[in-house]
Amino acid sequence: MSELINVIGLGYIGLPTALMMAAKGLKVTGTDYDAQKVQNLQRGNLTFKEAGLEELYQKACRNGIEFTQEYKEADFYIIAVPTPFNKKSKKVVADYLVQATENVAGKCRKESVIVVESTVSPGTIDRYVRPIIDRVNREQNKAVHISHAPERIIPGRMIEELVHNNRTIGADSLEIAAKVKEIYMSFCEGDIALTDIKTAEMSKVVENAYRDINIAYANELVKICNEADIDVYELIRITNKHPRVNVLTPGPGVGGHCISVDPWFLVGDYPGLANIILAARKINDSMPEYVLSRISEIMEEKGIEDVGRVGIYGITYKENVDDIRESPTLQLLECMKKHLARGIKLYDPFVKVDVAENQYHDFETFIAGIDMLVLMVAHDEIKGKYGQIRHLTILDTRNVFQGDGIFKL
Ligand code: SAJ
């Protein structure tokens, strides 16, 4: 295929996607408005860690991928820019998407196809992207098409999932959807379902809300079991023997830029209808506060008076990634501020920059200064270090360690 693909937004989704397409021999240019990011990528410095990303980068470079701040005249555009939500109205903020579409509209060819990969609430493309494209088609006598191909890859297994996950492609006609499918088939070995744009938009948000609801169920159970003095993990192990039951794992909260954000789109757009979805969000958002109450209880039981002698292990939103967006630990720190509890120590082997006060970058020094460890993230790194922490009071929110005296949620 000699057509040019311009991937807009070289973040967690855009970068692996651009690299994958280039590695498979497609002609790709990656565009980002962040000069520093572009420079880093041009110089071979990857902007985040992910299994297999480095190898993919090398292959894409050998195949001639380019990184630039410019928007190219291309046949296909893949837009993978952030779509945050307004914390008050709970609605999607489409500013980056609108800006990217405007920039692309100024460059596109007569029959370019613009594929939005960013997660959006149903109707966003009609509301924000379509008017721009309609205007360009009218004013410049073009026939530019829109498509939506929501990403589904999970941090930690992005590259593998990019290849093996099934996908959804929405477009205004089957012909355009099939054209987009051809691009994705260069690397995607999963089934690719073709549908309309609005259904594709809805499918993505529904998938993440589904997972949020299921995690909320596990988190609600942990609170009930604590009250009922039942081991929730034993309970879940048993209930999951039922052929149609699969309770997920309770944890200290739900972080990341997907599951803790996307369900709000439905709550914002369908107030009064999105009831389970709202309840799940509230339950998952309540977990850091719950962890804080467990910390206080345990400190009291163990006679630990100074919160400065408590250390949090893990700042990222989940294990073995370096992404801290909306992480339960950051949510916990916010709760602590509210309660004027300061001085807690922190450590995360994946987080090299300082994101909080009293953050340590050396595990031994961190451990030396605490009497109680709160394990918030189950990085593989901690699993081999039990010998170094066994003398401490441990609150293990991820059920990593077994044994007497270890506190759980
Ligand atoms: N978590 C639990 N208990 C569980 C599972 C997860 O507490 O049993 C927590 C995690 O620790 C984390 C949060 O939930 O804080 C979310 O983690 P995750 O691993 O469930 O999902 P994400 O956010 O990394 O990726 C999700 C995926 N969506 C679904 O599985 C439906 C991924 O496929 C999407 O591509 C991604 O969101 C996205 O970008 O939308």
Side-chain angles (χ1 to χ4, degrees):
M1 206 179 283
S2 61
E3 292 151 309
L4 178 64
I5 301 168
N6 191 187
V7 178
I8 314 297
L10 298 172
Y12 286 98
I13 300 303
L15 181 63
T17 306
L19 296 178
M20 180 61 86
M21 287 178 171
K24 290 290 174 184
L26 303 186
K27 204 167 155 216
V28 180
T29 296
T31 298
D32 201 290
Y33 74 168
D34 180 344
Q36 187 65 49
K37 186 180 279 181
V38 169
Q39 215 172 65
N40 276 331
L41 290 170
Q42 286 167 340
R43 290 180 182 163
N45 303 321
L46 286 178
T47 36
F48 63 96
K49 281 204 187 104
E50 180 64 38
L53 195 66
E54 183 67 45
E55 293 79 351
L56 201 63
Y57 174 82
Q58 298 301 343
K59 201 159 180 206
C61 287
R62 282 198 297 278
N63 285 353
I65 190 170
E66 283 175 17
F67 302 104
T68 172
Q69 279 183 277
E70 281 169 37
Y71 294 78
K72 293 284 176 183
E73 192 186 322
D75 304 283
F76 288 91
Y77 294 90
I78 312 261
I79 299 185
V81 295
T83 40
F85 79 105
N86 180 310
K87 288 215 161 93
K88 229 169 165 190
S89 71
K90 312 294 188 204
K91 293 193 183 218
V92 71
V93 178
D95 298 4
Y96 295 108
L97 181 60
V98 167
Q99 195 52 57
T101 311
E102 286 283 8
N103 292 337
V104 161
K107 280 281 180 181
C108 59
R109 294 191 169 140
K110 193 166 184 342
E111 293 210 31
S112 295
V113 182
I114 298 176
V115 185
V116 177
E117 274 224 20
S118 308
T119 303
V120 289
S121 60
T124 299
I125 291 183
D126 273 352
R127 215 169 303 137
Y128 296 100
V129 176
R130 197 178 294 284
I132 300 171
I133 301 309
D134 282 351
R135 192 193 70 222
V136 167
N137 285 345
R138 217 175 33 246
E139 289 175 359
Q140 299 175 26
N141 194 25
K142 287 183 176 171
V144 175
H145 300 282
I146 310 168
S147 172
H148 183 42
E151 56 85 13
R152 269 180 177 166
I153 53 180
I154 200 152
R157 284 206 311 271
M158 281 181 152
I159 310 302
E160 190 195 322
E161 290 208 352
L162 210 45
V163 175
H164 297 289
N165 280 3
N166 303 322
R167 300 195 66 117
T168 312
I169 291 175
D172 294 333
S173 71
L174 266 183
E175 189 197 340
I176 295 303
K179 220 171 144 181
V180 176
K181 180 177 174 180
E182 214 180 298
I183 299 280
Y184 282 90
M185 272 171 60
S186 67
F187 63 87
C188 173
E189 294 175 13
D191 286 340
I192 302 181
L194 305 185
T195 184
D196 59 88
I197 288 177
K198 207 164 170 182
T199 307
E201 291 176 316
M202 186 59 112
S203 71
K204 168 66 195 215
V205 181
V206 164
E207 287 158 16
N208 278 352
Y210 175 87
R211 190 152 171 88
D212 199 40
I213 290 166
N214 280 283
I215 298 169
Y217 186 54
N219 284 337
E220 185 155 285
L221 287 180
V222 92
K223 292 180 182 174
I224 292 172
C225 286
N226 185 295
E227 198 73 20
D229 203 15
I230 289 172
D231 177 346
V232 75
Y233 302 104
E234 164 81 347
L235 176 76
I236 292 173
R237 194 179 61 76
I238 293 167
T239 55
N240 283 355
K241 300 262 183 210
H242 187 292
R244 283 172 296 283
V245 173
N246 181 24
V247 179
L248 296 183
T249 316
V254 168
H257 197 60
C258 313
I259 297 192
S260 65
V261 174
D262 302 352
W264 284 121
F265 296 162
L266 292 173
V267 175
D269 284 348
Y270 302 96
L273 294 178
N275 297 322
I276 301 181
I277 301 169
L278 174 60
R281 273 289 70 238
K282 284 186 177 164
I283 293 165
N284 289 336
D285 273 355
S286 75
M287 290 313 287
E289 186 92 42
Y290 175 73
V291 173
L292 190 56
S293 71
R294 292 289 293 133
I295 295 174
S296 308
E297 278 167 17
I298 297 164
M299 281 176 74
E300 201 171 313
E301 189 180 325
K302 290 290 181 178
I304 301 168
E305 283 173 5
D306 177 7
V307 79
R309 300 293 300 172
V310 178
I312 291 184
Y313 178 91
I315 305 174
T316 62
Y317 85 93
K318 67 175 189 179
E319 67 283 359
N320 305 325
V321 299
D322 62 3
D323 190 341
I324 60 167
R325 289 177 298 173
E326 321 290 332
S327 92
T329 296
L330 295 181
Q331 294 178 40
L332 176 70
L333 293 179
E334 279 303 309
C335 290
M336 296 193 78
K337 264 193 216 155
K338 252 195 324 207
H339 294 274
L340 299 175
R342 288 172 188 273
I344 203 160
K345 297 187 165 78
L346 294 120
Y347 170 81
D348 190 311
F350 283 83
V351 182
K352 305 286 181 218
V353 291
D354 281 328
V355 295
E357 287 169 38
N358 307 312
Q359 186 184 336
Y360 288 71
H361 296 282
D362 176 64
F363 184 72
E364 277 72 29
T365 322
F366 166 67
I367 293 299
I370 58 174
D371 300 317
M372 176 173 171
L373 183 89
V374 182
L375 194 146
M376 292 287 281
V377 185
H379 292 311
D380 286 345
E381 188 240 22
I382 191 71
K383 295 181 183 164
K385 291 194 163 154
Y386 185 56
Q388 285 173 265
I389 58 169
R390 63 188 313 159
H391 62 287
L392 300 171
T393 296
I394 298 175
L395 168 58
D396 175 4
T397 71
R398 298 285 187 171
N399 196 30
V400 170
F401 299 115
Q402 310 309 325
D404 288 343
I406 295 173
F407 291 91
K408 299 284 166 82
L409 283 173

